[in-house]
Amino acid sequence: MLRVKTRLGLSRIDGIGLFANQFIPQDTIVWEFNPLIDLKLREDEIESLAEGARQQVQKYSYRDELTGLYIFCGDDARFFNHSDEPNCVDVNWGPFGGRTIAGRDIQLGDELTCNYASFDKDLMNGRYRLPERRDSRLMMPSVPSLRQAAAKR
């Protein structure tokens, strides 16, 4: 569950992005797993869903490195885009879930980014991969785009 004020907007990274709607000081908790908002799902639970629901969950979830469960963010946190130099840092604090903190001061209007390789077990295990950068000023596409591309292969 997002713990700071944010808004959605067009991203220079990929599609829709998540933007700070307030100044966020370094070390502020930006996101924290909350079972009232976010879901933990086994792969067989995802496979049992109707096609449309399954596609949405696959598009907007990641596989937790410690539990192996898929985490489906129930709020706009699913719009974090990837960066090799993110302004947010993901900290896994055990089987109860993780936290995302501001790795540096984030200004009002800045896009919130994270490094998918720091928390997504599927990326770590090579189930999908990030494409090569086309422009050093741009960052990588989001997991939803990557998973869609992988599904077409």
Side-chain angles (χ1 to χ4, degrees):
M1 177 178 82
L2 286 166
R3 303 264 313 260
V4 296
K5 293 179 184 177
T6 60
R7 65 172 178 78
L8 297 179
L10 292 177
S11 171
R12 296 183 77 189
I13 298 169
D14 183 51
I16 297 171
L18 184 66
F19 293 83
N21 209 18
Q22 69 176 80
F23 171 74
I24 305 170
Q26 183 174 355
D27 296 326
T28 299
I29 298 172
V30 175
W31 179 88
E32 182 173 49
F33 181 84
N34 183 323
L36 297 175
I37 303 292
D38 308 304
L39 299 174
K40 292 182 181 184
L41 300 164
R42 296 184 321 268
E43 193 163 3
D44 65 305
E45 291 174 315
I46 295 170
E47 292 303 318
S48 73
L49 296 171
E51 180 66 23
R54 183 172 56 250
Q55 288 175 353
Q56 286 295 302
V57 170
Q58 289 171 331
K59 181 177 180 179
Y60 291 114
S61 66
Y62 65 90
R63 193 162 164 212
D64 182 78
E65 90 178 283
L66 292 180
T67 66
L69 297 173
Y70 286 87
I71 308 300
F72 179 74
C73 296
D75 61 9
D76 289 340
R78 62 183 168 228
F79 292 102
F80 269 97
N81 276 317
H82 170 81
S83 172
D84 289 333
E85 298 175 10
N87 54 17
C88 294
V89 178
D90 297 284
V91 180
N92 200 325
W93 46 278
F96 303 108
R99 283 185 174 157
T100 302
I101 62 170
R104 59 181 178 256
D105 287 348
I106 300 171
Q107 303 301 315
L108 172 70
D110 285 354
E111 183 168 359
L112 302 178
T113 58
C114 58
N115 184 336
Y116 297 165
S118 70
F119 61 87
D120 190 336
K121 187 173 184 173
D122 283 350
L123 177 59
M124 291 177 208
N125 291 339
R127 198 164 180 182
Y128 74 93
R129 62 186 168 85
L130 297 172
E132 295 295 320
R133 282 184 156 166
R134 290 184 304 264
D135 182 330
S136 62
R137 293 171 294 147
L138 299 177
M139 296 174 209
M140 300 299 148
S142 63
V143 167
S145 297
L146 297 169
R147 291 205 173 127
Q148 288 172 342
K152 291 179 182 177
R153 288 185 213 153

